[in-house]
Short mmCIF file of all heavy atoms in Angstrom, two decimals:
data_model
loop_
_atom_site.label_atom_id
_atom_site.label_comp_id
_atom_site.label_asym_id
_atom_site.label_seq_id
_atom_site.Cartn_x
_atom_site.Cartn_y
_atom_site.Cartn_z
N MET A 1448 100.69 116.71 117.02
CA MET A 1448 101.45 115.63 117.56
C MET A 1448 100.48 114.59 118.21
O MET A 1448 99.95 114.80 119.31
CB MET A 1448 102.43 116.15 118.61
CG MET A 1448 103.27 115.08 119.23
SD MET A 1448 104.32 114.26 118.01
CE MET A 1448 105.28 113.22 119.11
N ILE A 1449 100.28 113.48 117.51
CA ILE A 1449 99.36 112.45 117.97
C ILE A 1449 100.08 111.58 119.00
O ILE A 1449 101.18 111.07 118.75
CB ILE A 1449 98.86 111.59 116.79
CG1 ILE A 1449 98.16 112.47 115.78
CG2 ILE A 1449 97.98 110.46 117.29
CD1 ILE A 1449 97.81 111.73 114.48
N THR A 1450 99.44 111.35 120.16
CA THR A 1450 99.97 110.46 121.18
C THR A 1450 98.86 109.53 121.65
O THR A 1450 97.75 109.59 121.12
CB THR A 1450 100.55 111.21 122.39
OG1 THR A 1450 99.39 111.73 123.15
CG2 THR A 1450 101.39 112.38 122.00
N GLY A 1451 99.21 108.73 122.63
CA GLY A 1451 98.24 107.77 123.17
C GLY A 1451 97.08 108.44 123.95
O GLY A 1451 96.13 107.78 124.31
N LEU A 1455 90.09 111.41 119.51
CA LEU A 1455 89.89 111.11 118.13
C LEU A 1455 88.53 111.71 117.64
O LEU A 1455 87.49 111.40 118.23
CB LEU A 1455 89.89 109.58 117.93
CG LEU A 1455 89.73 108.99 116.56
CD1 LEU A 1455 90.85 109.47 115.65
CD2 LEU A 1455 89.77 107.46 116.68
N TYR A 1461 82.39 108.95 102.45
CA TYR A 1461 82.99 108.18 101.37
C TYR A 1461 82.57 108.80 100.05
O TYR A 1461 81.42 109.06 99.86
CB TYR A 1461 82.59 106.74 101.44
CG TYR A 1461 83.11 105.89 100.32
CD1 TYR A 1461 84.44 105.48 100.34
CD2 TYR A 1461 82.32 105.57 99.22
CE1 TYR A 1461 84.96 104.75 99.30
CE2 TYR A 1461 82.86 104.81 98.17
CZ TYR A 1461 84.15 104.44 98.21
OH TYR A 1461 84.69 103.72 97.16
N THR A 1463 86.82 109.96 100.50
CA THR A 1463 87.45 110.91 101.42
C THR A 1463 88.27 111.97 100.72
O THR A 1463 88.67 112.93 101.35
CB THR A 1463 88.39 110.19 102.41
OG1 THR A 1463 89.44 109.57 101.64
CG2 THR A 1463 87.63 109.13 103.20
N GLU A 1464 88.60 111.70 99.43
CA GLU A 1464 89.60 112.50 98.74
C GLU A 1464 89.37 114.02 98.86
O GLU A 1464 90.34 114.83 98.89
CB GLU A 1464 89.77 112.08 97.31
CG GLU A 1464 90.56 110.81 97.10
CD GLU A 1464 89.87 109.53 97.57
OE1 GLU A 1464 88.66 109.58 97.83
OE2 GLU A 1464 90.57 108.48 97.63
N PRO A 1469 90.12 118.03 107.98
CA PRO A 1469 91.40 117.79 108.68
C PRO A 1469 92.37 118.97 108.50
O PRO A 1469 93.13 119.29 109.45
CB PRO A 1469 91.95 116.54 107.96
CG PRO A 1469 90.78 115.87 107.34
CD PRO A 1469 89.80 116.98 106.99
N MET A 1470 92.33 119.63 107.35
CA MET A 1470 93.27 120.74 107.11
C MET A 1470 92.81 122.07 107.78
O MET A 1470 93.53 123.03 107.73
CB MET A 1470 93.47 120.93 105.60
CG MET A 1470 94.12 119.75 104.93
SD MET A 1470 92.88 118.57 104.32
CE MET A 1470 92.72 119.10 102.62
N VAL A 1484 92.56 115.07 117.28
CA VAL A 1484 92.93 115.00 115.84
C VAL A 1484 91.68 114.55 115.04
O VAL A 1484 90.95 113.70 115.45
CB VAL A 1484 94.10 114.05 115.62
CG1 VAL A 1484 93.77 112.59 115.97
CG2 VAL A 1484 94.60 114.15 114.19
N VAL A 1486 90.49 112.66 111.86
CA VAL A 1486 91.07 111.59 111.01
C VAL A 1486 90.01 111.14 109.97
O VAL A 1486 88.96 110.63 110.37
CB VAL A 1486 91.52 110.38 111.84
CG1 VAL A 1486 92.01 109.24 110.98
CG2 VAL A 1486 92.55 110.80 112.88
N PRO A 1487 90.29 111.31 108.68
CA PRO A 1487 89.38 110.84 107.64
C PRO A 1487 89.26 109.34 107.70
O PRO A 1487 90.25 108.63 107.81
CB PRO A 1487 90.07 111.26 106.31
CG PRO A 1487 91.05 112.31 106.70
CD PRO A 1487 91.48 111.97 108.07
N MET A 1488 88.03 108.88 107.60
CA MET A 1488 87.77 107.43 107.57
C MET A 1488 86.75 107.19 106.47
O MET A 1488 85.59 107.57 106.60
CB MET A 1488 87.27 106.90 108.92
CG MET A 1488 88.23 107.17 110.04
SD MET A 1488 87.67 106.38 111.60
CE MET A 1488 88.97 107.05 112.71
N GLY A 1489 87.23 106.57 105.41
CA GLY A 1489 86.39 106.33 104.23
C GLY A 1489 85.44 105.15 104.42
O GLY A 1489 85.68 104.05 103.98
N CYS A 1490 84.34 105.43 105.11
CA CYS A 1490 83.38 104.38 105.46
C CYS A 1490 82.26 104.33 104.42
O CYS A 1490 81.61 105.36 104.16
CB CYS A 1490 82.81 104.68 106.87
SG CYS A 1490 81.77 103.36 107.49
N ARG A 1491 82.01 103.14 103.86
CA ARG A 1491 80.96 102.98 102.89
C ARG A 1491 79.60 102.82 103.58
O ARG A 1491 79.55 102.45 104.74
CB ARG A 1491 81.25 101.78 101.98
CG ARG A 1491 82.46 101.98 101.09
CD ARG A 1491 82.82 100.72 100.32
NE ARG A 1491 84.02 100.90 99.52
CZ ARG A 1491 85.26 100.70 99.93
NH1 ARG A 1491 85.42 100.35 101.21
NH2 ARG A 1491 86.30 100.89 99.17
N GLU A 1493 77.19 100.72 103.44
CA GLU A 1493 76.76 99.46 103.98
C GLU A 1493 77.48 99.12 105.31
O GLU A 1493 76.94 98.32 106.10
CB GLU A 1493 76.98 98.32 102.98
CG GLU A 1493 78.43 98.05 102.55
CD GLU A 1493 78.85 98.88 101.32
OE1 GLU A 1493 78.33 100.01 101.11
OE2 GLU A 1493 79.69 98.34 100.56
N ASP A 1494 78.61 99.72 105.57
CA ASP A 1494 79.32 99.47 106.82
C ASP A 1494 79.02 100.48 107.90
O ASP A 1494 79.43 100.30 109.06
CB ASP A 1494 80.89 99.48 106.55
CG ASP A 1494 81.27 98.42 105.57
OD1 ASP A 1494 80.73 97.31 105.64
OD2 ASP A 1494 82.19 98.69 104.77
N ASP A 1497 77.21 99.85 111.63
CA ASP A 1497 78.05 99.15 112.56
C ASP A 1497 79.32 99.90 112.94
O ASP A 1497 79.73 99.91 114.11
CB ASP A 1497 78.49 97.79 111.93
CG ASP A 1497 77.30 96.83 111.85
OD1 ASP A 1497 76.33 97.01 112.59
OD2 ASP A 1497 77.39 95.89 111.03
N PHE A 1498 79.90 100.55 111.93
CA PHE A 1498 81.19 101.25 112.22
C PHE A 1498 80.99 102.45 113.11
O PHE A 1498 81.78 102.68 114.03
CB PHE A 1498 81.85 101.70 110.88
CG PHE A 1498 83.25 102.20 111.14
CD1 PHE A 1498 84.26 101.35 111.43
CD2 PHE A 1498 83.52 103.57 111.02
CE1 PHE A 1498 85.57 101.85 111.70
CE2 PHE A 1498 84.79 104.08 111.28
CZ PHE A 1498 85.81 103.20 111.62
N LEU A 1501 80.80 101.22 116.65
CA LEU A 1501 82.08 100.71 117.17
C LEU A 1501 83.15 101.80 117.30
O LEU A 1501 83.94 101.78 118.28
CB LEU A 1501 82.60 99.57 116.24
CG LEU A 1501 81.84 98.26 116.41
CD1 LEU A 1501 82.28 97.26 115.29
CD2 LEU A 1501 82.08 97.63 117.78
N ARG A 1504 82.83 103.34 120.49
CA ARG A 1504 83.20 102.51 121.63
C ARG A 1504 84.71 102.56 121.91
O ARG A 1504 85.17 102.10 122.93
CB ARG A 1504 82.70 101.10 121.46
CG ARG A 1504 81.18 100.98 121.56
CD ARG A 1504 80.65 99.58 121.49
NE ARG A 1504 81.31 98.66 122.41
CZ ARG A 1504 80.98 98.54 123.71
NH1 ARG A 1504 80.02 99.27 124.20
NH2 ARG A 1504 81.63 97.71 124.45
N LEU A 1505 85.48 103.16 120.98
CA LEU A 1505 86.90 103.31 121.26
C LEU A 1505 87.06 104.24 122.47
O LEU A 1505 86.40 105.23 122.61
CB LEU A 1505 87.62 103.94 120.03
CG LEU A 1505 87.61 103.15 118.74
CD1 LEU A 1505 88.27 103.94 117.63
CD2 LEU A 1505 88.25 101.80 118.90
N SER A 1506 88.04 103.90 123.32
CA SER A 1506 88.20 104.65 124.54
C SER A 1506 88.65 106.09 124.28
O SER A 1506 88.38 106.96 125.10
CB SER A 1506 89.24 103.91 125.44
OG SER A 1506 90.49 103.80 124.77
N ASN A 1507 89.29 106.35 123.17
CA ASN A 1507 89.71 107.72 122.86
C ASN A 1507 88.82 108.41 121.86
O ASN A 1507 89.13 109.49 121.36
CB ASN A 1507 91.18 107.75 122.44
CG ASN A 1507 91.47 106.91 121.21
OD1 ASN A 1507 90.79 105.89 120.98
ND2 ASN A 1507 92.43 107.28 120.42
N ARG A 1721 95.20 124.95 106.40
CA ARG A 1721 96.19 124.69 105.35
C ARG A 1721 95.51 123.98 104.21
O ARG A 1721 95.69 122.79 104.00
CB ARG A 1721 97.36 123.84 105.92
CG ARG A 1721 98.15 124.59 106.96
CD ARG A 1721 99.44 123.79 107.33
NE ARG A 1721 99.76 124.02 108.72
CZ ARG A 1721 100.04 123.06 109.58
NH1 ARG A 1721 99.98 121.79 109.20
NH2 ARG A 1721 100.36 123.32 110.85
N MET B 1441 100.74 116.14 108.04
CA MET B 1441 99.59 116.86 107.51
C MET B 1441 98.55 115.85 107.00
O MET B 1441 98.73 115.28 105.92
CB MET B 1441 100.04 117.80 106.39
CG MET B 1441 98.91 118.61 105.77
SD MET B 1441 98.11 119.69 106.99
CE MET B 1441 96.99 120.54 105.90
N ILE B 1442 97.47 115.65 107.76
CA ILE B 1442 96.49 114.68 107.39
C ILE B 1442 95.52 115.32 106.39
O ILE B 1442 95.00 116.42 106.60
CB ILE B 1442 95.68 114.21 108.66
CG1 ILE B 1442 96.65 113.58 109.65
CG2 ILE B 1442 94.56 113.29 108.25
CD1 ILE B 1442 96.00 113.30 111.00
N THR B 1443 95.25 114.59 105.28
CA THR B 1443 94.30 115.08 104.27
C THR B 1443 93.35 113.91 103.91
O THR B 1443 93.46 112.81 104.48
CB THR B 1443 95.01 115.58 103.00
OG1 THR B 1443 95.45 114.42 102.25
CG2 THR B 1443 96.11 116.49 103.29
N GLY B 1444 92.48 114.17 102.97
CA GLY B 1444 91.57 113.11 102.54
C GLY B 1444 92.18 111.97 101.79
O GLY B 1444 91.53 110.98 101.51
N LEU B 1448 95.61 105.31 106.42
CA LEU B 1448 95.41 105.18 107.83
C LEU B 1448 96.05 103.91 108.36
O LEU B 1448 95.78 102.80 107.85
CB LEU B 1448 93.89 105.17 108.08
CG LEU B 1448 93.38 105.09 109.48
CD1 LEU B 1448 93.85 106.26 110.30
CD2 LEU B 1448 91.84 105.07 109.47
N TYR B 1454 94.34 98.53 123.96
CA TYR B 1454 93.60 99.15 125.05
C TYR B 1454 94.31 98.80 126.34
O TYR B 1454 94.56 97.64 126.60
CB TYR B 1454 92.13 98.69 125.08
CG TYR B 1454 91.38 99.28 126.23
CD1 TYR B 1454 90.91 100.59 126.16
CD2 TYR B 1454 91.12 98.52 127.39
CE1 TYR B 1454 90.23 101.14 127.18
CE2 TYR B 1454 90.46 99.12 128.44
CZ TYR B 1454 90.00 100.37 128.34
OH TYR B 1454 89.31 100.96 129.38
N THR B 1456 95.27 103.05 125.63
CA THR B 1456 96.20 103.65 124.61
C THR B 1456 97.26 104.59 125.21
O THR B 1456 98.19 104.98 124.51
CB THR B 1456 95.37 104.54 123.62
OG1 THR B 1456 94.75 105.60 124.37
CG2 THR B 1456 94.31 103.69 122.93
N GLU B 1457 97.06 104.91 126.47
CA GLU B 1457 97.88 106.02 127.06
C GLU B 1457 99.39 105.82 126.90
O GLU B 1457 100.12 106.79 126.77
CB GLU B 1457 97.52 106.24 128.53
CG GLU B 1457 96.21 106.99 128.76
CD GLU B 1457 94.93 106.26 128.41
OE1 GLU B 1457 95.03 105.01 128.19
OE2 GLU B 1457 93.83 106.86 128.33
N PRO B 1462 102.87 106.18 117.53
CA PRO B 1462 102.55 107.40 116.80
C PRO B 1462 103.73 108.40 116.83
O PRO B 1462 103.99 109.08 115.84
CB PRO B 1462 101.38 107.95 117.52
CG PRO B 1462 100.74 106.77 118.24
CD PRO B 1462 101.88 105.87 118.59
N MET B 1463 104.41 108.47 117.93
CA MET B 1463 105.50 109.44 118.05
C MET B 1463 106.79 108.99 117.39
O MET B 1463 107.75 109.72 117.26
CB MET B 1463 105.76 109.73 119.54
CG MET B 1463 104.63 110.36 120.25
SD MET B 1463 103.52 109.10 120.99
CE MET B 1463 104.15 109.11 122.68
N VAL B 1477 99.36 108.00 108.31
CA VAL B 1477 99.35 108.44 109.71
C VAL B 1477 98.96 107.21 110.61
O VAL B 1477 98.10 106.42 110.24
CB VAL B 1477 98.38 109.63 109.92
CG1 VAL B 1477 96.92 109.21 109.67
CG2 VAL B 1477 98.50 110.18 111.35
N VAL B 1479 97.25 106.20 113.96
CA VAL B 1479 96.25 106.76 114.84
C VAL B 1479 95.85 105.77 115.95
O VAL B 1479 95.39 104.66 115.63
CB VAL B 1479 94.94 107.13 114.03
CG1 VAL B 1479 93.89 107.64 114.95
CG2 VAL B 1479 95.28 108.16 112.95
N PRO B 1480 96.13 106.13 117.20
CA PRO B 1480 95.71 105.25 118.30
C PRO B 1480 94.22 105.07 118.36
O PRO B 1480 93.49 106.04 118.21
CB PRO B 1480 96.23 106.00 119.55
CG PRO B 1480 97.18 107.01 119.06
CD PRO B 1480 96.77 107.36 117.68
N MET B 1481 93.79 103.84 118.52
CA MET B 1481 92.35 103.57 118.68
C MET B 1481 92.22 102.59 119.82
O MET B 1481 92.64 101.45 119.78
CB MET B 1481 91.80 102.96 117.37
CG MET B 1481 91.95 103.87 116.15
SD MET B 1481 91.15 103.21 114.70
CE MET B 1481 91.64 104.45 113.49
N GLY B 1482 91.60 103.08 120.90
CA GLY B 1482 91.49 102.33 122.10
C GLY B 1482 90.33 101.34 122.04
O GLY B 1482 89.27 101.58 122.58
N CYS B 1483 90.61 100.21 121.43
CA CYS B 1483 89.56 99.21 121.16
C CYS B 1483 89.60 98.15 122.25
O CYS B 1483 90.64 97.53 122.51
CB CYS B 1483 89.79 98.59 119.80
SG CYS B 1483 88.49 97.50 119.29
N ARG B 1484 88.46 97.92 122.91
CA ARG B 1484 88.38 96.90 123.97
C ARG B 1484 88.24 95.50 123.33
O ARG B 1484 87.75 95.36 122.22
CB ARG B 1484 87.22 97.19 124.87
CG ARG B 1484 87.41 98.52 125.69
CD ARG B 1484 86.22 98.84 126.54
NE ARG B 1484 86.38 100.08 127.27
CZ ARG B 1484 86.17 101.29 126.76
NH1 ARG B 1484 85.68 101.39 125.48
NH2 ARG B 1484 86.37 102.35 127.47
N GLU B 1486 86.24 93.05 123.70
CA GLU B 1486 84.93 92.58 123.25
C GLU B 1486 84.52 93.18 121.92
O GLU B 1486 83.72 92.61 121.20
CB GLU B 1486 83.86 92.80 124.32
CG GLU B 1486 83.59 94.23 124.67
CD GLU B 1486 84.40 94.75 125.86
OE1 GLU B 1486 85.57 94.29 126.02
OE2 GLU B 1486 83.87 95.63 126.60
N ASP B 1487 85.04 94.31 121.56
CA ASP B 1487 84.72 94.98 120.30
C ASP B 1487 85.69 94.63 119.17
O ASP B 1487 85.45 94.96 118.00
CB ASP B 1487 84.73 96.48 120.49
CG ASP B 1487 83.71 96.96 121.48
OD1 ASP B 1487 82.57 96.34 121.51
OD2 ASP B 1487 83.99 97.90 122.23
N ASP B 1490 84.95 92.55 115.60
CA ASP B 1490 84.11 93.35 114.64
C ASP B 1490 84.86 94.63 114.19
O ASP B 1490 84.75 94.97 113.02
CB ASP B 1490 82.79 93.76 115.33
CG ASP B 1490 81.90 92.60 115.55
OD1 ASP B 1490 82.04 91.58 114.83
OD2 ASP B 1490 81.00 92.67 116.42
N PHE B 1491 85.51 95.27 115.10
CA PHE B 1491 86.15 96.56 114.75
C PHE B 1491 87.31 96.32 113.74
O PHE B 1491 87.46 97.08 112.79
CB PHE B 1491 86.63 97.29 115.99
CG PHE B 1491 87.12 98.69 115.64
CD1 PHE B 1491 86.20 99.67 115.30
CD2 PHE B 1491 88.46 98.99 115.65
CE1 PHE B 1491 86.62 100.96 114.95
CE2 PHE B 1491 88.89 100.29 115.30
CZ PHE B 1491 87.95 101.26 114.95
N LEU B 1494 85.91 95.92 110.33
CA LEU B 1494 85.30 97.15 109.78
C LEU B 1494 86.36 98.23 109.50
O LEU B 1494 86.29 98.96 108.52
CB LEU B 1494 84.22 97.70 110.70
CG LEU B 1494 82.92 96.92 110.70
CD1 LEU B 1494 81.99 97.36 111.80
CD2 LEU B 1494 82.22 97.06 109.33
N ARG B 1497 87.73 97.78 106.27
CA ARG B 1497 86.84 98.05 105.13
C ARG B 1497 86.84 99.56 104.79
O ARG B 1497 86.30 99.96 103.79
CB ARG B 1497 85.43 97.52 105.46
CG ARG B 1497 85.40 96.00 105.42
CD ARG B 1497 83.96 95.42 105.60
NE ARG B 1497 83.03 96.05 104.73
CZ ARG B 1497 82.83 95.64 103.42
NH1 ARG B 1497 83.54 94.65 102.89
NH2 ARG B 1497 81.92 96.24 102.67
N LEU B 1498 87.46 100.39 105.63
CA LEU B 1498 87.58 101.82 105.32
C LEU B 1498 88.40 101.96 104.01
O LEU B 1498 89.42 101.27 103.88
CB LEU B 1498 88.25 102.62 106.46
CG LEU B 1498 87.50 102.63 107.77
CD1 LEU B 1498 88.32 103.40 108.83
CD2 LEU B 1498 86.10 103.23 107.65
N SER B 1499 88.00 102.86 103.16
CA SER B 1499 88.68 102.97 101.89
C SER B 1499 90.08 103.46 102.01
O SER B 1499 90.94 103.16 101.15
CB SER B 1499 87.87 103.91 100.95
OG SER B 1499 87.74 105.18 101.56
N ASN B 1500 90.38 104.16 103.07
CA ASN B 1500 91.80 104.65 103.27
C ASN B 1500 92.56 103.83 104.33
O ASN B 1500 93.66 104.22 104.72
CB ASN B 1500 91.79 106.12 103.61
CG ASN B 1500 91.00 106.46 104.89
OD1 ASN B 1500 90.03 105.75 105.20
ND2 ASN B 1500 91.38 107.50 105.60
N ARG B 1714 109.71 111.52 118.46
CA ARG B 1714 109.47 112.54 119.44
C ARG B 1714 108.83 111.92 120.68
O ARG B 1714 107.63 112.09 120.91
CB ARG B 1714 108.56 113.64 118.87
CG ARG B 1714 109.18 114.40 117.71
CD ARG B 1714 108.40 115.64 117.35
NE ARG B 1714 108.54 115.99 115.96
CZ ARG B 1714 107.49 116.16 115.13
NH1 ARG B 1714 106.28 116.04 115.55
NH2 ARG B 1714 107.71 116.44 113.86
#
Side-chain angles (χ1 to χ4, degrees):
Chain A
M1448 181 63 174
I1449 300 171
T1450 73
L1455 183 58
Y1461 178 76
T1463 62
E1464 282 71 11
M1470 296 90 96
V1484 64
V1486 177
M1488 299 187 186
C1490 186
R1491 292 176 183 85
E1493 62 268 32
D1494 298 323
D1497 289 340
F1498 188 72
L1501 286 170
R1504 288 183 53 81
L1505 297 178
S1506 58
N1507 58 331
R1721 295 191 211 128
Chain B
M1441 179 64 175
I1442 300 171
T1443 74
L1448 182 59
Y1454 177 78
T1456 62
E1457 282 71 12
M1463 296 91 97
V1477 64
V1479 177
M1481 300 187 185
C1483 187
R1484 293 176 182 84
E1486 62 267 33
D1487 298 322
D1490 289 339
F1491 189 72
L1494 286 170
R1497 288 184 53 81
L1498 297 178
S1499 58
N1500 58 330
R1714 296 193 209 125

